[in-house]
Amino acid sequence: MITITAFERSPDRGRGLARDMRVRWALEEVGQPYEVRLLSFNAMKEPAHLALHPFGQIPTYEEDDLALFETGSIVLHLAERHPGLLPNDINARARAITWIFAALNTVEPPIMDLTTTKLLEADRPWAAERLPLVTGRIRARLAPLSARLGDADWLDGAFSAGDLMMVSVLIRLKVSGILSEYPNLAAYVARGEARPAYRRAFEAQLAVFTGNSPPG
Ligand SMILES: N[C@@H](CCC(=O)N[C@@H](CS)C(=O)NCC(=O)O)C(=O)O
């Protein structure tokens, strides 16, 4: 059995932003059942969890004698071991993996910077001056991403783990309004969110907060 960790009380109230969501989504896409161990913020910093995750974060992934942290690694692990998230062609597979890295290394950092700016730095005297710099760096990533996607459904042929990660990263921008400046990216995210596996993962994450388990 696979066990992942997630927030006992997610700051987003279970609305899909906590990073266990991308692992849940990948598990749903490849049809693997899993259990969730919920952690308080204190428990995340205790030795038992630090042995699994050196930075005291969620999610982690345990399967038999394998323990992983970092969502990129976990999603890639699932995609490599189960059909459905990576193409068979070796070059297409390498390109799909490249999009996982692009999502995490190139697109996610400026998006997370916006979260930091708004949530943790809003009361600093320089916050208002910094905000346009941060949003400008996001647009500098979204414009070429939008150009590359064009009118395609997914980034490189069929839906892959690369799309799963890119959609997961872009979702955080929905509330800012920046995503809607790029209609093809907004539609791309909506396509990801419409996938049955995404819906199941979302409902399961939300149920932690509401206490209502999804049917089935
Ligand atoms: N790069 C890590 C980031 C993990 C991360 O930031 N997790 C957040 C939840 S989404 C967390 O645990 N935050 C609490 C903390 O850092 O103390 C990954 O992709 O797994």
Side-chain angles (χ1 to χ4, degrees):
M1 178 50 90
I2 293 166
T3 302
I4 67 168
T5 50
F7 284 136
E8 190 177 68
R9 300 285 296 173
S10 182
D12 78 335
R13 306 166 69 89
R15 296 271 163 196
L17 297 185
R19 288 178 178 79
D20 55 296
M21 180 61 201
R22 44 186 84 162
V23 173
R24 291 174 184 268
W25 185 9
L27 285 160
E28 293 287 351
E29 289 283 354
V30 300
Q32 289 297 302
Y34 63 98
E35 289 177 349
V36 183
R37 192 167 60 250
L38 300 175
L39 296 173
S40 66
F41 279 92
N42 284 342
M44 284 164 55
K45 308 301 176 196
E46 284 170 5
H49 187 65
L50 289 172
L52 289 172
H53 196 309
F55 306 112
Q57 296 182 310
I58 60 98
T60 55
Y61 176 98
E62 293 156 81
E63 181 184 12
D64 302 325
D65 56 357
L66 174 67
L68 295 174
F69 60 97
E70 286 296 333
T71 53
S73 166
I74 298 167
V75 168
L76 183 55
H77 167 78
L78 289 167
E80 282 183 326
R81 274 159 187 77
H82 306 282
L85 282 175
L86 284 177
N88 290 329
D89 174 79
I90 195 160
N91 286 348
R93 202 175 175 90
R95 289 196 303 271
I97 292 169
T98 300
W99 281 115
I100 300 179
F101 281 91
L104 294 172
N105 287 351
T106 304
V107 180
E108 187 167 49
I111 293 175
M112 288 314 297
D113 203 16
L114 180 62
T115 302
T116 307
T117 306
K118 284 186 167 172
L119 294 184
L120 304 179
E121 297 171 352
D123 56 348
R124 302 297 176 97
W126 36 261
E129 206 175 339
R130 185 165 184 269
L131 191 60
L133 299 176
V134 174
T135 53
R137 288 183 198 120
I138 294 174
R139 291 187 179 94
R141 294 304 183 216
L142 296 198
L145 183 66
S146 168
R148 171 57 78 99
L149 179 66
D151 58 7
D153 279 356
W154 307 113
L155 285 165
D156 194 317
F159 176 82
S160 77
D163 295 298
L164 184 150
M165 197 58 84
M166 191 64 81
V167 168
S168 299
V169 161
L170 293 176
I171 277 174
R172 194 175 284 272
L173 281 179
K174 276 171 63 177
V175 287
S176 73
I178 298 176
L179 191 64
S180 54
E181 294 171 21
Y182 304 86
N184 68 335
L185 293 183
Y188 171 65
V189 167
R191 263 191 301 282
E193 290 175 307
R195 291 179 70 83
Y198 179 91
R199 298 306 321 160
R200 288 195 297 274
F202 184 92
E203 293 303 330
Q205 196 196 52
L206 183 62
V208 173
F209 200 86
T210 62
N212 297 320
S213 295

